Amino acid sequence: MPDLTPVADLPPSAEIASRLESLLRDRETVLRELEPRALPTVDPVAYQTAASHRAVIRQLTDALERVAAGTYGLCGRCGEPIAPARLEVLPQASACIGCQSLVDAA
């Protein structure tokens, strides 16, 4: 059974934002290191890795926007709280496990 702990049980917004910003900086650093060789004809692995990092950077930026808007921790599909354990593992998560499972199955 999923943990439906209220969003109020999440750490303070400043702490969440700090963690997200740290993760964002880490991803941006790796991306800067990859970009000189991240061309499909030069290094296809670096190219795909860079693309994955860009996607996570977008997710982290979106999560920071949700923190600022006061909607962090709420599922973007159903509006229910996202389990704190899920946010601990995947702090940029924008959907609860149930809704993400539906998206992944589609």
Side-chain angles (χ1 to χ4, degrees), residues 34-68:
L34 284 172
E35 282 184 330
R37 63 182 191 280
L39 299 169
T41 56
V42 175
D43 188 342
V45 173
Y47 177 76
Q48 287 299 323
T49 304
S52 295
H53 279 278
R54 281 188 207 96
V56 173
I57 287 169
R58 277 191 301 277
Q59 293 169 355
L60 289 166
T61 302
D62 291 346
L64 282 165
E65 290 174 5
R66 290 192 302 277
V67 169

